[in-house]
Amino acid sequence: MCGIVGYVGEKSALDVVIEGLRRLEYRGYDSAGVAVLTDGVLVSDKRAGKLQNLEKALQDTPLPVGKTGLGHTRWATHGAPTDANAHPHLDNAGKVAVVHNGIIENFAALRAELAERGHTLLSETDTEVVTHLLAEQFEPSGRDLAEAMRRVCRRLEGAFTLVAVHADAPDVVVGARRNSPLVVGRGEGENFLASDVAAFIAHTREAVELGQDQVVELRREGVTITDFAGGPGTFREYHVDWDASAAEKDGYDYFMLKEIAEQPKAVADTLLGRIGADGRLTLDEVRIPDQVLREVDKVVIIACGTSFHAAMIAKYAIEHWTRVPCEVELASEFRYRDPILDRQTLVITISQSGETMDTLMAQRHAREQGAKVLAICNTNGSTMPREADAVLYTHAGPEVAVASTKAFLTQLVACYLVALYLGQTRGTKWGDEITEVIEQLAAMPEQVDKVLDTMEPVRELARSLKDATSVLFLGRHVGFPVALEGALKLKELAYMHAEGFAAGELKHGPIALIEDGLPVVVVVPSPRGRSVLHDKIVSNIQEIRARGAKTIVIAEEGDEAVVPYADHLIRIPVTPVLLQPLVATVPLQVFACELATAKGHEVDQPRNLAKSVTVE
Ligand code: F6R
């Protein structure tokens, strides 16, 4: 939420910053702004709306060239998305510029205090107080911007990433972080700060992950990191294992289309190297000792949104393969209901970004209660894996479109792996059973590919439903979370009323929604395995069809029982029951994406949303 870039080096800071903001626009697109230091003078421009508004303004009225600068793309929290509330915020003398991601919880008190001391604050944002505090602290700190930042940070409550420049501190950019992401990029004679490595990946792949409550000072020749008290910093240097091309659209109209198409590879990459020389499943990053895993008596999985749907599916696999009770919880609800956790609880957090504030806070709460936490995450260098006891990385590569697709499929793979690993460690699964599932998983990239190859009728169907006002999604067993995911995708992309239900719940109320012509998508479980469920859902399809619903049925190849009741039939390959979400979700992603496109929506940047939700 909000994207931040800082640069110091030999290039035009404006060019570097704008390019970085373009790659971070997925984090928020309510406004954009830049500030550049040029010959001891601070110049700035900022505009409401997308980055292109700012770029247009800068074409009409260019800023002087400077080699130190910062920029911001905003997802509004305090104050409407106007020019005045856009970042950067400057002090009254126009010397300090600050950009911010997060929420400063004590800003009202600080604002009142500043007003009393004669400061005039021009915006409704919480950020502006930092600008004024920094301006006040600069001289008393010996004109050392990093020291001024440390002093200011000690007064702030809440979550924040801050980046600042000062006209009287040439060639210096200072950043600070608490609970919000900030990564350093180290180049030759130039250094970068950003919310995400994507912003500087075209310049360097050498990154530094900052610990909690750190201040970083960037100069051309180096980077200095300290804690808020000025003591030694905590950080980890790492090499980013993907390059700029991974964050490009690559000929696709939208990142979402590219990311849907990348799913077979993402699934394959997440499975890579998981079998050791002894033929056993090895999850190298899972540093929780086997003995601890053997003593676990409950698993709790915590996540938000799409990641929560992955968690729901994981529950089926974990309970079936390990016989350990598994609870699934929305992160935003978790810590507020006093959950029962202890040393024998294994908590799994699932997050693409590793920065979602609700999940991060839930993870911290779980650790405070003594539970061991395993984070399933897609973003190296992010906060959740750093703070967890163990991590399992998904290898989806950068996901830029706001709507999650390939991250979801890889989260499922990671969940299956964790479930199998628990089964292996606790002896509830034989070695050959595990090998069999791993082989089935290894076949999934090809199956996903097959689904992708047959999507034209789904796109056509989506276009034909452009004027529908509502779509329902039904599923049973692991198809239920898939239905929820289908509905979520449609809501966020097509801005349509969409709801997912467990098909068995229909008769307990939602069936009253069915009326003539209402499109209802039904995810049908495999007729093999749990065939009772299959038969029940076929009855459910008949029930809704009898009441006028237009049935869109997603069913396995060869499932003939559904044919008479399907107005539209979408075929998916035959898969093991528990793995079906890996193929059944794909048509729903394509459906939502195409419907949104038909409605003329911006698929990669749906309204009101941001990819990384760093506020609670
Ligand atoms: C939906 C979507 C969101 C995220 C949710 C959690 O397409 O992308 O619902 O899944 O905000 O984000 P992460 O996984 O980064 O914690």
Side-chain angles (χ1 to χ4, degrees):
M1 228 158 227
C2 297
I4 288 182
V5 188
Y7 174 75
V8 57
E10 287 301 333
K11 300 181 179 126
S12 155
L14 187 63
D15 291 349
V16 173
V17 166
I18 292 280
E19 179 197 343
L21 291 181
R22 207 171 289 131
R23 290 185 195 276
L24 294 187
E25 221 189 350
Y26 71 85
R27 300 181 68 86
Y29 27 86
D30 288 334
S31 65
V34 289
V36 172
L37 289 183
T38 164
D39 294 331
V41 177
L42 181 66
V43 290
S44 172
D45 200 349
K46 54 187 190 171
R47 302 287 155 156
K50 297 201 168 183
L51 180 62
Q52 64 196 37
N53 293 359
L54 174 69
E55 287 181 285
K56 165 117 194 12
L58 289 170
Q59 262 168 20
D60 296 345
T61 321
L63 292 181
V65 177
K67 295 174 178 175
T68 305
L70 49 74
H72 186 266
T73 173
R74 176 171 189 240
W75 188 83
T77 54
H78 290 69
T82 58
D83 286 355
N85 289 333
H87 300 214
H89 291 283
L90 273 57
D91 67 320
N92 294 147
K95 293 248 177 188
V96 190
V98 174
V99 291
H100 166 221
N101 170 27
I103 292 181
I104 292 163
E105 284 165 4
N106 58 337
F107 90 101
L110 294 169
R111 200 181 167 97
E113 197 186 283
L114 285 161
E116 250 174 49
R117 291 202 292 271
H119 293 260
T120 310
L121 280 81
L122 302 171
S123 76
E124 302 160 277
T125 67
D126 50 345
T127 309
E128 205 182 351
V129 298
V130 177
T131 311
H132 289 259
L133 290 171
L134 267 179
E136 276 188 342
Q137 289 300 327
F138 186 64
E139 290 295 336
S141 306
R143 300 168 77 84
D144 175 346
L145 189 59
E147 174 54 21
M149 182 63 97
R150 285 189 284 272
R151 291 181 183 203
V152 171
C153 286
R154 296 201 287 265
R155 299 218 49 208
L156 303 179
E157 289 165 20
F160 48 85
T161 296
L162 296 162
V163 174
V165 290
H166 195 297
D168 297 336
D171 307 326
V172 175
V173 178
V174 164
R177 78 167 288 261
R178 167 181 287 166
N179 285 341
S180 287
L182 185 64
V183 196
V184 178
R186 302 184 73 128
E188 292 288 323
E190 58 180 359
N191 289 299
F192 307 79
L193 276 176
S195 312
D196 176 340
V197 292
F200 53 71
I201 194 74
H203 304 278
T204 178
R205 288 165 71 179
E206 301 315 314
V208 183
E209 167 193 318
L210 297 175
Q212 197 54 262
D213 287 4
Q214 304 292 299
V215 166
V216 52
E217 183 194 71
L218 233 61
R219 292 175 181 272
R220 253 171 236 169
E221 58 278 11
V223 173
T224 311
I225 301 168
T226 65
D227 62 19
F228 285 176
T234 49
F235 55 90
R236 178 180 73 94
E237 299 186 56
Y238 66 102
H239 179 77
V240 183
D241 58 7
W242 48 272
D243 62 17
S245 65
E248 300 291 349
K249 280 191 204 150
D250 227 3
Y252 287 89
D253 288 343
Y254 303 107
F255 277 109
M256 185 173 177
L257 289 173
K258 177 188 173 223
E259 289 161 6
I260 289 174
E262 283 172 343
Q263 293 185 111
K265 180 171 184 316
V267 167
D269 288 351
T270 303
L271 283 167
L272 218 60
R274 304 295 189 187
I275 299 293
D278 56 358
R280 282 169 66 83
L281 180 61
T282 47
L283 302 180
D284 285 341
E285 313 103 299
V286 177
R287 301 174 302 249
I288 301 174
D290 283 0
Q291 189 51 36
V292 174
L293 292 180
R294 277 194 279 273
E295 282 165 12
V296 162
D297 63 7
K298 181 171 73 170
V299 177
V300 179
I301 317 182
I302 310 168
C304 303
T306 289
S307 302
F308 177 73
H309 299 150
M312 287 177 78
I313 293 166
K315 173 183 167 77
Y316 291 87
I318 289 175
E319 291 192 338
H320 185 61
W321 288 338
T322 72
R323 311 309 298 152
V324 181
C326 176
E327 293 170 13
V328 179
E329 184 99 16
L330 283 170
S332 52
E333 291 293 319
F334 180 68
R335 69 185 171 130
Y336 300 104
R337 68 162 181 83
D338 196 11
I340 301 166
L341 303 164
D342 59 31
R343 289 177 187 285
Q344 277 162 279
T345 313
L346 174 67
V347 168
I348 302 175
T349 51
I350 307 180
S351 175
Q352 188 285 129
S353 60
E355 299 292 349
T356 301
M357 190 56 73
D358 291 313
T359 315
L360 176 61
M361 289 303 170
Q363 173 171 309
R364 285 189 185 156
H365 182 78
R367 293 197 77 225
E368 277 160 23
Q369 304 295 307
K372 285 271 179 272
V373 176
L374 164 67
I376 293 179
C377 185
N378 193 43
T379 312
N380 198 336
S382 61
T383 310
M384 275 181 236
R386 193 180 50 246
E387 293 189 7
D389 297 289
V391 55
L392 185 60
Y393 280 112
T394 50
H395 293 280
E399 193 180 61
V400 178
V402 164
S404 188
T405 54
K406 61 176 179 169
F408 177 68
L409 257 59
T410 59
Q411 286 168 346
L412 292 180
V413 172
C415 289
Y416 295 131
L417 290 174
V418 169
L420 290 174
Y421 190 71
L422 279 175
Q424 176 176 278
T425 312
R426 300 166 66 90
T428 54
K429 272 242 163 244
W430 299 107
D432 54 350
E433 290 173 317
I434 293 174
T435 312
E436 190 187 346
V437 183
I438 293 288
E439 281 166 5
Q440 290 163 345
L441 280 168
M444 293 314 288
E446 203 183 319
Q447 308 288 38
V448 176
D449 232 347
K450 273 192 203 150
V451 179
L452 289 170
D453 282 346
T454 56
M455 283 299 96
E456 196 40 48
V458 173
R459 281 190 278 269
E460 210 171 288
L461 172 68
R463 290 192 291 269
S464 76
L465 293 175
K466 175 168 137 325
D467 298 318
T469 50
S470 176
V471 181
L472 301 187
F473 293 78
L474 306 180
R476 294 190 90 118
H477 194 253
V478 288
F480 168 41
V482 173
L484 294 176
E485 176 61 7
L488 176 61
K489 288 279 111 56
L490 203 61
K491 279 182 241 196
E492 66 182 326
L493 295 168
Y495 318 152
M496 284 169 74
H497 172 246
E499 273 192 79
F501 296 107
E505 272 294 292
L506 209 60
K507 55 190 176 296
H508 300 290
I511 199 162
L513 291 169
I514 308 288
E515 55 187 18
D516 218 24
L518 178 78
V520 183
V521 180
V522 189
V523 183
V524 179
S526 167
R528 297 154 305 105
R530 299 187 171 269
S531 64
V532 195
L533 277 184
H534 172 268
D535 298 349
K536 286 192 195 305
I537 211 164
V538 175
S539 302
N540 297 145
I541 301 173
Q542 291 176 61
E543 287 154 18
I544 55 168
R545 201 157 184 265
R547 287 163 177 81
K550 183 200 286 261
T551 56
I552 301 163
V553 176
I554 301 181
E556 265 188 7
E557 296 289 353
D559 180 352
E560 296 308 318
V562 294
V563 175
Y565 315 112
D567 293 315
H568 295 272
L569 186 55
I570 301 169
R571 287 298 191 187
I572 51 175
V574 175
T575 58
V577 174
L578 280 168
L579 307 192
Q580 196 201 50
L582 286 169
V583 287
T585 311
V586 178
L588 301 181
Q589 300 166 339
V590 173
F591 179 72
C593 184
E594 187 69 20
L595 219 155
T597 313
K599 283 173 151 264
H601 295 173
E602 290 231 24
V603 170
D604 286 337
Q605 296 176 345
R607 71 181 179 204
N608 303 337
L609 291 172
K611 185 142 189 82
S612 181
V613 185
T614 52
V615 292
E616 260 192 286

